[in-house]
Amino acid sequence: MYVEDQDSFLNAVCQVNADTYTPQQLLQAVKSIESRLGRQKTIEKGPRNVDLDILLHRNTTLDEENLSIPHKLMLEREFVLRPLCDLIPDESLPTGLYSGSFREHLAVLPQSVPPLSSSTPFHPTLPPLTPLSSNRPTHVMAILNLTPDSFSDGGVHSSEPSSLLPTIRSMISSGATILDLGGQSTRPHAPEVSPDEELSRILPTIQLIRSMPEFANIALSIDTYRASVAAAAITAGADIINDVSAGILDPEMLPTAAKLGCTIILMHMRGTPNTMIKLTSYPDGLLPTIASELLARVDAAEKAGIFRWRIMLDPGIGFAKTEAQNLELLRRLGELREWEGLHGFPWLVGASRKSFIGRITGVKEASQRVWGTAATVAAAIQGGADVVRVHDVTEMALVAKLADAIWRF
């Protein structure tokens, strides 16, 4: 029996290197950690502020007065099996105990109501992203390009930071909860600027926003593929790294993000912004290949020390994709979200004003592709996107609000 009338709580499963510990030594280490964290236990099998359990210890089976391995109750707890299956879904208990993989045991458990969800924090004062919650709101990420040469709004915002305040206030009042700042264009054949130049474009704006109490509840994202730029931006007050290369273009990006402890967006792209338009062949199928390549980046991120709950994914609309492939991604985003190994991550979709919208609608001027962008935002939300990255905040926030009312209830 469990105490069921209790507040929501966070639960995670971690795999640690404990080869030099006996089970009892590991138990003492765990209890020491609980003590340092101020554990308080008031009710048996009830709420407590921190609770660390040992689920498995190599292939050990142990049944002593103060410790049982495997944990006796692990197979009946969805909140244990679900995160465990993120790590080792196809493994099972030691020989002689219950048969079947952990995935199989999870499949036969009754699902919680409401469903359990993974949780991705992205700002200290905002609720975390909960991508498996059916009634979660869609976040609007407003694009604030501080570049003279971005494909859609180059030069529009690259002025003195204080002059940006009306734009920033308008974006926030219209419904943006995240501002995505960029100092280096990623459009095809855009000239590459130095890290110092990139920082000179973004740092003053980050510092200005973080100096003003009225913006305290707004998350800031830094759109960069450079580790040094990301580190300086996060130190100055940004919350999220938005890397279009998922750590490929700068091998220091993933270790840097791990050290910073911030949330990072890993986007699917091939090559560089200059070569990606030639890398659109997916002979094994678009979704299987994108899923495989994103899984490789998630694996690299975790090996670099980034916690799984600090990762967001982006299918990379417009990056190494043809027009037909962009449409297929929007059409099948729900399938990609459910792909084995990708289930439970939050997703960002950024199709705003992209060239394929202009070709389909016949609207040549990027800034005028509002209606086409609106259709992609609605499609992204239907497909399960947690964040939509947009230029036209007022209009797209309204689209998101209605799309949420239709599909998030």
Side-chain angles (χ1 to χ4, degrees):
M1 296 295 292
Y2 298 94
V3 176
E4 296 184 354
D5 185 17
Q6 57 178 301
D7 293 334
S8 298
F9 57 88
L10 294 173
N11 205 66
V13 173
C14 298
Q15 189 172 14
V16 300
N17 185 351
D19 287 344
T20 60
Y21 288 77
T22 67
Q24 286 293 341
Q25 288 172 333
L26 184 58
L27 177 63
Q28 292 309 308
V30 164
K31 287 184 176 295
S32 176
I33 294 171
E34 288 181 333
S35 178
R36 293 200 302 271
L37 292 175
R39 171 184 166 118
Q40 296 176 356
K41 179 180 177 181
T42 56
I43 305 173
E44 184 68 25
K45 295 184 181 178
R48 61 205 71 176
N49 56 344
V50 61
D51 185 25
L52 303 180
D53 288 323
I54 301 171
L55 300 179
L56 303 162
H57 186 274
R58 297 193 288 269
N59 288 319
T60 301
T61 56
L62 184 70
D63 190 7
E64 297 181 356
E65 184 177 354
N66 64 338
L67 180 62
S68 294
I69 298 177
H71 194 288
K72 288 184 176 181
L73 303 177
M74 60 180 290
L75 296 183
E76 66 181 53
R77 293 174 168 177
E78 183 189 0
F79 63 82
V80 172
L81 284 181
R82 195 163 292 283
L84 182 63
C85 284
D86 286 336
L87 295 177
I88 49 173
D90 297 316
E91 294 193 22
S92 56
L93 294 180
T95 304
L97 301 175
Y98 294 98
S99 62
S101 67
F102 296 130
R103 186 203 308 273
E104 291 169 332
H105 284 285
L106 176 61
V108 299
L109 282 182
Q111 288 200 359
S112 301
V113 180
L116 299 184
S117 177
S118 50
S119 179
T120 301
F122 66 101
H123 185 271
T125 67
L126 294 173
L129 300 174
T130 53
L132 302 182
S133 298
S134 60
N135 62 348
R136 67 194 186 281
T138 302
H139 285 268
V140 174
M141 173 188 279
I143 299 169
L144 192 60
N145 282 325
L146 305 174
T147 58
D149 56 349
S150 290
F151 84 94
S152 170
D153 54 357
V156 174
H157 304 310
S158 57
S159 55
E160 190 66 25
S162 60
S163 68
L164 294 173
L165 287 176
T167 298
I168 293 169
R169 289 191 176 106
S170 174
M171 288 175 167
I172 295 170
S173 65
S174 296
T177 53
I178 309 170
L179 303 182
D180 190 46
L181 283 65
Q184 164 68 62
S185 175
T186 54
R187 66 175 176 81
H189 307 298
E192 188 172 347
V193 302
S194 69
D196 287 343
E197 174 65 22
E198 188 176 356
L199 282 170
S200 73
R201 294 174 177 179
I202 61 171
L203 280 184
T205 301
I206 294 174
Q207 292 161 349
L208 174 66
I209 293 172
R210 284 298 174 240
S211 71
M212 304 188 68
E214 66 181 288
F215 302 139
N217 295 326
I218 294 299
L220 297 182
S221 169
I222 171 64
D223 182 0
T224 186
Y225 51 79
R226 292 181 169 129
S228 61
V229 173
I234 296 296
T235 301
D239 306 284
I240 303 166
I241 298 171
N242 184 9
D243 183 358
V244 297
S245 80
I248 291 177
L249 294 180
D250 186 343
E252 291 302 311
M253 177 61 89
L254 299 180
T256 297
K259 292 175 185 175
L260 293 168
C262 62
T263 293
I264 183 169
I265 301 168
L266 305 178
M267 193 191 81
H268 178 268
M269 184 179 74
R270 289 170 156 186
T272 70
N274 288 336
T275 64
M276 62 183 179
I277 57 175
K278 300 177 181 178
L279 302 173
T280 59
S281 175
Y282 297 84
D284 294 327
L286 183 66
L287 256 63
T289 306
I290 289 176
S292 175
E293 293 175 2
L294 277 176
L295 282 167
R297 301 317 303 156
V298 169
D299 183 61
E302 292 183 322
K303 286 178 177 175
I306 298 175
F307 295 128
R308 193 177 183 86
W309 53 85
R310 282 293 189 178
I311 297 174
M312 296 173 60
L313 300 177
D314 180 340
I317 300 289
F319 289 80
K321 317 286 188 309
T322 64
E323 177 182 309
Q325 290 164 348
N326 289 324
L327 295 174
E328 182 178 351
L329 267 180
L330 287 169
R331 193 180 302 121
R332 302 178 65 190
L333 178 63
E335 294 178 53
L336 189 60
R337 288 180 71 246
E338 295 297 323
W339 208 273
E340 184 174 343
L342 299 180
H343 180 70
F345 284 108
W347 288 78
L348 177 147
V349 173
S352 183
R353 298 183 180 178
K354 292 287 174 76
S355 58
F356 78 95
I357 296 175
R359 286 193 295 270
I360 293 171
T361 61
V363 179
K364 295 183 179 180
E365 181 61 43
S367 63
Q368 301 302 309
R369 297 170 185 162
V370 180
W371 290 107
T373 296
T376 68
V377 167
I381 294 172
Q382 183 186 23
D386 302 274
V387 182
V388 289
R389 182 178 181 271
V390 300
H391 297 86
D392 305 291
V393 179
T394 300
E395 295 87 348
M396 298 313 129
L398 293 175
V399 172
K401 185 175 291 187
L402 188 56
D404 280 354
I406 297 171
W407 290 297
R408 305 274 169 88
F409 56 90

